[in-house]
Amino acid sequence: MSPPQPSQLAAGRSPGAAAKGPLTLRELDAISVDRLNGVGPQRRKALAEVGVESVFDLLTYYPRRYVDRTSQAPISEAAVGAEMTVVADVHAVSSRRLRGGRRLVSVEVTDATGALSAVFFNQAWRERQLTEGRTVALFGKVENYRGRKQMTNPVVDVLGDGSTSDRTGKIVAIYAQSEAAGIVTWDVANWVAEAQRRCSARGIADPLPDWLRSRFDVIDRPSALADIHGPSSAAEQAAARDRLVFDELLRVQLVLRSQRLAREANELGIAHEPAGALIEGFHRLLPYELTGAQRRAMADIDADVSTVRPMHRLLQGDVGSGKTLVALHALLIAVQNRHQGALMAPTEVLAEQHFIALRALLDGFEVPDEARLGGTRPLRLRLLSGSSSAAQRREVLVEIATGAADIVVGTHALLEESVKFGSLSVVVVDEQHRFGVSQRAQLREGGRDDRRIPHLLVMTATPIPRTAAMTVYGDLDVSVLDELPPGRKRVATQWVHGPLATESMWSEVRDEVESGRQAYVVCPLITESESLDARSAERMHAELVAGALAGLRVGLLHGRMPPADKERAMARFRAGKLDALVATTVIEVGIDIPNATVMVVLSADRFGIAQLHQLRGRVGRGSHASSCYLVSDDDPTPTAVQRLTALSESNDGFELAERDLELRGEGTLFDERQSGRSDLKLASLARDLAWVQAARDAAIDLIAADGDLDAHPALADEVDWFASRRDPDYLQRS
Ligand code: ADP
Ligand code: MG
């Protein structure tokens, strides 16, 4: 962000400033919050912690909810047994320890009509929050306790410190507070009000053309920004929200669409002939019929790679939907056209796994070669791995450079400077969410001297709801494998909690092993640190070998093991020489061992829905019935319970993704690095489908075919500002 421009906020007071016209979001984002009264260095730091650095950030620090004081009941009318909101002042607070060690905080509140007490169990911090004189809104069920009205563990919103409460309107905005940073809702309300006041001389700009506003029936931006913070009715708040949601989604769509059009206008790829002897041979050799979805995805790819416009496609398919074959189809088109294909995986283990899978599928596969007697040679598949010796690596690099290697599998090591392809024309990236956007760009640009861009296929097993796909991957075309190969069985999933259930689970695991099957045991994810996770896996392995799985052949796999050991563990498990494999989440994606039928996930409450679904996808891949046990720690949070329940109820990745979106909100959909600066502060991809669609339609109408927003300079400026804020590399890359 550029440093604050002192003149801008002061503009409200300087007479000449009005000539400058209303404030744009770019300008609001250039004014630091410490220009506001009451925001000193300390508050500035605290606000930065919640993502608020500029006046723009503050104005879009939207209320988390509202307390409607028009529907609140006076205490005298609070009927026992009813659920209601009471707004009152804290009169007295006390706290004591109960038998058994629990802490009880009692708070006495009063309004003009009477008194009520609120009691909180095990929430000692309430004593600090609910100090005498504060005005609070309590929501809960009114009980009768020894003849007095009482609420137990009500929902609490602190509205002010008494002095502020009479000033607040009928509907009070409640902002997310930060206990740690010391930010309370009425401070935020005051700063927002001050910012609005000081913006009022110049006003806030609205870049939307009138025809668009009336077409989607949205109010103007200045009113929306005022009403979202201080609505006088629920309807007013809803109208404000609609406009601001539309704004957020439209900005995203405009960025994605202009990037896409610019890309299409500038990038030159390589046209392929998709039909041919090689591809036909491959399809003839397949041991099974393709699913309809696989066929459709391959047809999409055929169409893409046959033009000079580089493919930019997302292949989305639930675990086990058969993405590998589709990827291989794309890679083989490159080979058929005398170019090379590369498959890039997020980890070494997965790269090796892909290599093994492709090697099996391509066993004995010949490609035409006029230079040879008989006219064919074996297809050359190579692995560029961290575990190969320097000499092996050199040899592979030469084969890659001369074009002798047809298909190369590797990790992001494939992106290194030293890797030069003879003629790379198709790139498949597995599990895109682990690669940054700029790495993706690097792979597409690297490797070729003639600046032609290879075709790109991104595979993901994380099902993304349609609305999210439109927003997050708006710059990609999408093929969906929405059909599993025949014969797949549901993986019976249960949430396991408590020592008894855990014990009986281990005995079921032993039974499965006895009947010849194999099991995965996934260890708790402790931190982001691979070494700590590795240690926890080692400890768990030792514990199980000595206890629940004593006498079985139990292997260990984690990211910190030397590559050769990892490979050996995988190979032994694959060959059935291990009964169980204790692993970290390195087994999350891609590993395919049909005889493994049991998946145990320890501390499953610490994993997200998508990750658990991925893990579960490692079983249920063969003809045997499979099961998945999600073992939770003692006291999972309510949302963790909802996640575990969702997984036991559904095996459908898309359904789970929708559920996940509901439970989790939007923030995490985007690249982690952008967290705190999320694109969508208000819009919900789960709820605002109609607005996603509207924003998309609007973007198409606003952007001319050449990707320019020339007809709408104010909007163009906003999109530029937004894109550079969202991704600092943006300007350099486009
Ligand atoms: P994923 O989409 O999870 O990567 P894979 O490509 O690993 O799925 O395929 C999962 C399993 O299904 C593999 O064992 C693969 O051989 C098998 N498979 C793929 N396509 C078909 C099909 N059309 N019919 C039957 N089995 C298939
Ligand atoms: Mg796979």
Side-chain angles (χ1 to χ4, degrees):
M1 211 177 0
S2 52
Q5 310 269 299
S7 65
Q8 281 171 314
L9 200 63
R13 272 172 271 141
S14 95
K20 276 202 198 158
L23 289 153
T24 63
L25 297 190
R26 185 197 287 279
E27 288 174 302
L28 291 170
D29 197 33
I31 308 169
S32 168
V33 273
D34 61 10
R35 309 288 309 160
L36 297 169
N37 284 334
V39 183
Q42 214 156 13
R43 288 301 181 79
R44 182 196 165 130
K45 226 174 112 219
L47 280 166
E49 257 163 60
V50 295
V52 175
E53 294 174 25
S54 69
V55 169
F56 166 80
D57 296 330
L58 181 66
L59 291 179
T60 54
Y61 191 71
Y62 297 120
R64 206 170 32 140
R65 60 173 176 275
Y66 301 85
V67 172
D68 185 352
R69 301 187 65 173
T70 57
S71 67
Q72 90 202 34
I75 291 176
S76 62
E77 281 169 31
V80 170
E83 282 209 321
M84 58 181 54
T85 300
V86 158
V87 176
D89 296 329
V90 176
H91 184 64
V93 191
S94 65
S95 159
R96 66 192 163 94
R97 194 169 282 286
L98 301 175
R99 249 176 299 139
R102 292 206 297 170
R103 171 139 323 253
L104 177 76
V105 175
S106 331
V107 180
E108 184 79 15
V109 301
T110 54
D111 68 5
T113 69
L116 176 142
S117 56
V119 293
F120 300 91
F121 291 95
N122 271 343
Q123 301 177 27
W125 54 274
R126 293 286 188 195
E127 201 179 349
R128 273 170 288 126
Q129 182 197 33
L130 303 174
T131 53
E132 207 181 315
R134 288 201 165 164
T135 306
V136 295
L138 303 177
F139 175 80
K141 191 167 165 186
V142 182
E143 300 150 6
N144 179 348
Y145 182 74
R146 297 187 178 159
R148 296 175 45 88
K149 287 177 185 172
Q150 174 174 301
M151 286 183 181
T152 305
N153 293 334
V155 176
V156 178
D157 284 311
V158 179
L159 302 185
D161 55 6
S163 62
T164 49
S165 59
D166 19 305
R167 202 186 34 68
T168 48
K170 287 276 181 250
I171 296 181
V172 183
I174 305 293
Y175 297 91
Q177 323 208 29
S178 166
E179 186 82 19
I183 294 177
V184 291
T185 179
W186 63 90
D187 280 340
V188 179
N190 285 337
W191 294 325
V192 167
E194 197 205 335
Q196 300 261 21
R197 203 160 51 239
R198 292 175 65 178
C199 289
S200 63
R202 280 178 64 185
I204 292 174
D206 189 347
L208 272 201
D210 287 344
W211 59 266
L212 200 63
R213 245 170 54 199
S214 62
R215 175 161 143 210
F216 293 105
D217 194 21
V218 287
I219 65 173
D220 64 274
R221 179 179 285 169
S223 311
L225 279 173
D227 293 351
I228 198 80
H229 293 287
S232 55
S233 68
E236 214 174 85
Q237 186 273 338
R241 182 182 185 279
D242 280 352
R243 167 61 204 259
L244 297 167
V245 161
F246 182 65
D247 275 9
E248 286 181 351
L249 294 166
L250 180 62
R251 279 196 290 273
V252 172
Q253 292 297 334
L254 287 174
V255 169
L256 294 174
R257 185 153 180 85
S258 51
Q259 279 175 348
R260 185 191 169 116
L261 290 172
R263 193 180 69 228
E264 287 175 356
N266 298 329
E267 290 187 349
L268 196 58
I270 300 154
H272 291 70
E273 176 51 67
L278 198 88
I279 292 291
E280 275 159 30
F282 165 63
H283 284 259
R284 232 185 355 260
L285 280 179
L286 286 178
Y288 33 61
E289 288 282 304
L290 293 175
T291 65
Q294 282 172 320
R295 250 183 251 286
R296 284 191 294 277
M298 289 177 186
D300 290 342
I301 291 167
D302 287 354
D304 288 353
V305 299
S306 57
T307 76
V308 292
R309 178 193 283 182
M311 170 165 75
H312 207 69
R313 181 169 293 279
L314 179 71
L315 177 63
Q316 223 192 311
D318 208 346
V319 276
S321 59
K323 291 185 290 298
T324 312
L325 282 187
V326 178
L328 186 52
H329 173 89
L331 295 167
L332 286 174
I333 294 176
V335 179
Q336 175 172 273
N337 287 265
R338 319 249 151 158
H339 298 290
Q340 294 162 291
L343 172 58
M344 195 159 84
T347 65
E348 289 278 343
V349 172
L350 283 173
E352 284 155 30
Q353 170 82 24
H354 273 305
F355 177 70
I356 290 165
L358 294 192
R359 198 172 53 190
L361 284 163
L362 293 172
D363 185 35
F365 201 75
E366 299 276 319
V367 301
D369 182 359
E370 286 111 43
R372 295 219 182 181
L373 215 61
T376 63
R377 61 167 174 82
L379 182 137
R380 287 196 209 92
L381 174 71
R382 292 292 180 265
L383 176 67
L384 189 70
S385 145
S387 60
S388 32
S389 70
Q392 281 171 327
R393 190 181 151 82
R394 253 194 315 277
E395 195 185 317
V396 174
L397 285 178
V398 168
E399 287 179 319
I400 293 174
T402 59
D406 297 304
I407 297 176
V408 186
V409 182
T411 61
H412 44 265
L414 286 178
L415 295 177
E416 282 165 17
E417 203 78 38
S418 58
V419 186
K420 283 267 179 279
F421 284 84
S423 179
L424 181 62
S425 74
V426 172
V427 173
V428 178
V429 176
D430 191 14
E431 290 307 319
Q432 110 104 24
H433 61 280
R434 305 227 180 153
F435 288 106
V437 175
S438 51
Q439 273 177 314
R440 205 166 86 193
Q442 202 180 336
L443 185 70
R444 281 161 48 76
E445 283 147 21
R448 294 193 67 94
D449 291 332
D450 59 3
R451 323 207 89 225
R452 299 247 172 176
I453 307 286
H455 296 286
L456 176 68
L457 181 70
V458 174
M459 300 195 284
T460 175
T462 312
I464 304 158
R466 206 167 67 87
T467 47
M470 265 198 251
T471 308
V472 183
Y473 294 109
D475 61 333
L476 297 174
D477 295 310
V478 181
S479 299
V480 181
L481 297 183
D482 50 5
E483 190 181 337
L484 293 181
R488 280 295 147 74
K489 294 196 187 67
R490 209 178 167 279
V491 178
T493 304
Q494 62 186 93
W495 168 29
V496 178
H497 46 120
L500 274 180
T502 308
E503 197 162 312
S504 87
M505 170 190 81
W506 289 123
S507 96
E508 283 164 40
V509 172
R510 300 181 66 101
D511 287 350
E512 269 297 283
V513 166
E514 212 131 284
S515 58
R517 306 285 83 76
Q518 292 164 285
Y520 298 102
V521 179
V522 176
C523 291
L525 182 79
I526 305 209
T527 53
E528 293 293 299
S529 141
E530 220 181 32
S531 68
L532 281 182
D533 284 350
R535 253 183 288 157
S536 114
E538 275 161 11
R539 206 166 36 238
M540 186 53 65
H541 177 258
E543 218 170 274
L544 289 171
V545 166
L549 301 182
L552 305 188
R553 300 165 301 170
V554 184
L556 175 65
L557 182 72
H558 61 66
R560 272 301 173 96
M561 283 161 49
D565 291 1
K566 274 192 277 190
E567 214 166 311
R568 194 159 42 240
M570 272 320 297
R572 294 186 64 209
F573 191 67
R574 190 174 288 113
K577 291 183 180 140
L578 292 173
D579 301 313
L581 188 63
V582 175
T584 53
T585 50
V586 292
I587 64 157
E588 181 187 343
V589 266
I591 283 171
D592 188 10
I593 296 170
N595 193 49
T597 57
V598 181
M599 169 62 64
V600 174
V601 184
L602 301 171
S603 301
D605 47 315
R606 296 192 215 170
F607 293 93
I609 284 189
Q611 207 174 10
L612 289 171
H613 182 61
Q614 286 297 315
L615 286 167
R616 176 169 63 180
R618 300 307 107 212
V619 297
R621 301 176 82 91
S623 51
H624 305 286
S626 295
S627 41
C628 173
Y629 301 94
L630 305 174
V631 186
S632 75
D633 290 346
D634 286 348
D635 206 3
T637 65
T639 24
V641 171
Q642 282 177 302
R643 289 199 297 271
L644 299 175
T645 313
L647 278 148
S648 356
E649 285 168 1
S650 173
N651 263 249
D652 178 333
F654 282 88
E655 202 176 300
L656 287 169
E658 299 278 359
R659 194 83 189 87
D660 195 20
L661 201 51
E662 280 165 34
L663 289 175
R664 210 170 40 145
E666 322 301 327
T668 39
L669 277 172
F670 295 87
D671 204 314
E672 312 277 331
R673 286 165 305 173
Q674 289 157 15
S675 63
R677 291 229 140 189
S678 165
D679 297 336
L680 304 183
K681 294 175 174 177
L682 209 51
S684 153
L685 297 178
R687 279 179 293 132
D688 295 316
L689 174 61
W691 285 117
V692 173
Q693 193 64 58
R696 198 174 162 85
D697 293 347
I700 289 171
D701 286 355
L702 285 165
I703 299 188
D706 62 352
D708 265 343
L709 261 173
D710 282 353
H712 308 279
L715 211 47
D717 179 65
E718 183 165 314
V719 167
D720 262 2
W721 157 76
F722 173 71
S724 60
R725 174 185 149 95
R726 161 184 222 247
D727 171 7
D729 300 339
Y730 163 72
L731 290 174
Q732 284 131 43
R733 270 191 298 102
S734 57

